[in-house]
PDB file of all heavy atoms in Angstrom:
ATOM      1  N   ARG P 128     -55.842  21.664  43.381  1.00  0.00           N
ATOM      2  CA  ARG P 128     -54.884  22.775  43.186  1.00  0.00           C
ATOM      3  C   ARG P 128     -54.581  22.911  41.689  1.00  0.00           C
ATOM      4  O   ARG P 128     -54.419  24.008  41.177  1.00  0.00           O
ATOM      5  CB  ARG P 128     -53.579  22.510  43.931  1.00  0.00           C
ATOM      6  CG  ARG P 128     -53.742  22.308  45.419  1.00  0.00           C
ATOM      7  CD  ARG P 128     -53.703  23.616  46.195  1.00  0.00           C
ATOM      8  NE  ARG P 128     -53.688  23.333  47.609  1.00  0.00           N
ATOM      9  CZ  ARG P 128     -54.632  23.728  48.470  1.00  0.00           C
ATOM     10  NH1 ARG P 128     -55.648  24.470  48.077  1.00  0.00           N
ATOM     11  NH2 ARG P 128     -54.549  23.413  49.740  1.00  0.00           N
ATOM     12  N   MET P 129     -54.494  21.778  40.991  1.00  0.00           N
ATOM     13  CA  MET P 129     -54.154  21.782  39.571  1.00  0.00           C
ATOM     14  C   MET P 129     -55.257  22.473  38.758  1.00  0.00           C
ATOM     15  O   MET P 129     -54.970  23.303  37.900  1.00  0.00           O
ATOM     16  CB  MET P 129     -54.005  20.323  39.124  1.00  0.00           C
ATOM     17  CG  MET P 129     -53.191  20.085  37.896  1.00  0.00           C
ATOM     18  SD  MET P 129     -52.905  18.304  37.734  1.00  0.00           S
ATOM     19  CE  MET P 129     -54.438  17.747  37.054  1.00  0.00           C
ATOM     20  N   VAL P 130     -56.517  22.144  39.049  1.00  0.00           N
ATOM     21  CA  VAL P 130     -57.610  22.742  38.254  1.00  0.00           C
ATOM     22  C   VAL P 130     -58.011  24.104  38.823  1.00  0.00           C
ATOM     23  O   VAL P 130     -58.626  24.921  38.130  1.00  0.00           O
ATOM     24  CB  VAL P 130     -58.850  21.811  38.138  1.00  0.00           C
ATOM     25  CG1 VAL P 130     -58.496  20.535  37.403  1.00  0.00           C
ATOM     26  CG2 VAL P 130     -59.453  21.488  39.500  1.00  0.00           C
ATOM     27  N   ASN P 131     -57.675  24.347  40.088  1.00  0.00           N
ATOM     28  CA  ASN P 131     -57.857  25.648  40.727  1.00  0.00           C
ATOM     29  C   ASN P 131     -59.298  26.172  40.658  1.00  0.00           C
ATOM     30  O   ASN P 131     -59.529  27.304  40.239  1.00  0.00           O
ATOM     31  CB  ASN P 131     -56.868  26.647  40.093  1.00  0.00           C
ATOM     32  CG  ASN P 131     -56.762  27.901  40.930  1.00  0.00           C
ATOM     33  OD1 ASN P 131     -57.045  27.884  42.127  1.00  0.00           O
ATOM     34  ND2 ASN P 131     -56.408  29.010  40.287  1.00  0.00           N
ATOM     35  N   ARG P 132     -60.249  25.318  41.019  1.00  0.00           N
ATOM     36  CA  ARG P 132     -61.656  25.739  41.139  1.00  0.00           C
ATOM     37  C   ARG P 132     -62.366  24.779  42.087  1.00  0.00           C
ATOM     38  O   ARG P 132     -61.765  23.783  42.528  1.00  0.00           O
ATOM     39  CB  ARG P 132     -62.337  25.764  39.770  1.00  0.00           C
ATOM     40  CG  ARG P 132     -62.278  24.456  39.049  1.00  0.00           C
ATOM     41  CD  ARG P 132     -63.107  24.458  37.791  1.00  0.00           C
ATOM     42  NE  ARG P 132     -62.749  23.332  36.959  1.00  0.00           N
ATOM     43  CZ  ARG P 132     -63.064  22.065  37.187  1.00  0.00           C
ATOM     44  NH1 ARG P 132     -63.763  21.735  38.258  1.00  0.00           N
ATOM     45  NH2 ARG P 132     -62.685  21.103  36.379  1.00  0.00           N
ATOM     46  N   GLU P 133     -63.613  25.097  42.388  1.00  0.00           N
ATOM     47  CA  GLU P 133     -64.380  24.209  43.265  1.00  0.00           C
ATOM     48  C   GLU P 133     -64.663  22.883  42.535  1.00  0.00           C
ATOM     49  O   GLU P 133     -64.908  22.883  41.322  1.00  0.00           O
ATOM     50  CB  GLU P 133     -65.704  24.865  43.643  1.00  0.00           C
ATOM     51  CG  GLU P 133     -65.523  25.992  44.634  1.00  0.00           C
ATOM     52  CD  GLU P 133     -66.845  26.388  45.261  1.00  0.00           C
ATOM     53  OE1 GLU P 133     -67.825  26.539  44.506  1.00  0.00           O
ATOM     54  OE2 GLU P 133     -66.879  26.536  46.492  1.00  0.00           O
ATOM     55  N   ILE P 134     -64.631  21.788  43.268  1.00  0.00           N
ATOM     56  CA  ILE P 134     -64.801  20.468  42.628  1.00  0.00           C
ATOM     57  C   ILE P 134     -65.887  19.638  43.329  1.00  0.00           C
ATOM     58  O   ILE P 134     -66.230  19.896  44.485  1.00  0.00           O
ATOM     59  CB  ILE P 134     -63.474  19.671  42.623  1.00  0.00           C
ATOM     60  CG1 ILE P 134     -62.918  19.484  44.043  1.00  0.00           C
ATOM     61  CG2 ILE P 134     -62.443  20.325  41.717  1.00  0.00           C
ATOM     62  CD1 ILE P 134     -61.803  18.458  44.145  1.00  0.00           C
ATOM     63  N   SER P 135     -66.373  18.646  42.598  1.00  0.00           N
ATOM     64  CA  SER P 135     -67.346  17.698  43.163  1.00  0.00           C
ATOM     65  C   SER P 135     -66.739  16.288  43.115  1.00  0.00           C
ATOM     66  O   SER P 135     -65.952  15.978  42.217  1.00  0.00           O
ATOM     67  CB  SER P 135     -68.635  17.724  42.349  1.00  0.00           C
ATOM     68  OG  SER P 135     -68.347  17.398  41.009  1.00  0.00           O
ATOM     69  N   ILE P 136     -67.109  15.473  44.096  1.00  0.00           N
ATOM     70  CA  ILE P 136     -66.538  14.120  44.208  1.00  0.00           C
ATOM     71  C   ILE P 136     -67.661  13.113  44.420  1.00  0.00           C
ATOM     72  O   ILE P 136     -68.616  13.393  45.150  1.00  0.00           O
ATOM     73  CB  ILE P 136     -65.556  14.030  45.416  1.00  0.00           C
ATOM     74  CG1 ILE P 136     -64.451  15.087  45.314  1.00  0.00           C
ATOM     75  CG2 ILE P 136     -64.951  12.625  45.527  1.00  0.00           C
ATOM     76  CD1 ILE P 136     -63.487  15.130  46.494  1.00  0.00           C
ATOM     77  N   CYS P 137     -67.528  11.945  43.805  1.00  0.00           N
ATOM     78  CA  CYS P 137     -68.483  10.851  44.060  1.00  0.00           C
ATOM     79  C   CYS P 137     -67.740   9.627  44.601  1.00  0.00           C
ATOM     80  O   CYS P 137     -66.710   9.227  44.053  1.00  0.00           O
ATOM     81  CB  CYS P 137     -69.223  10.481  42.778  1.00  0.00           C
ATOM     82  SG  CYS P 137     -70.425   9.164  43.042  1.00  0.00           S
ATOM     83  N   ASP P 138     -68.267   9.072  45.683  1.00  0.00           N
ATOM     84  CA  ASP P 138     -67.714   7.867  46.318  1.00  0.00           C
ATOM     85  C   ASP P 138     -68.865   6.850  46.350  1.00  0.00           C
ATOM     86  O   ASP P 138     -69.603   6.773  47.323  1.00  0.00           O
ATOM     87  CB  ASP P 138     -67.235   8.288  47.732  1.00  0.00           C
ATOM     88  CG  ASP P 138     -66.931   7.138  48.659  1.00  0.00           C
ATOM     89  OD1 ASP P 138     -66.719   6.022  48.191  1.00  0.00           O
ATOM     90  OD2 ASP P 138     -66.899   7.382  49.897  1.00  0.00           O
TER      91      ASP P 138
END
Side-chain angles (χ1 to χ4, degrees):
R128 302 273 187 241
M129 202 170 79
V130 297
N131 194 23
R132 57 172 165 74
E133 287 195 314
I134 57 167
S135 58
I136 304 177
C137 181
D138 166 20

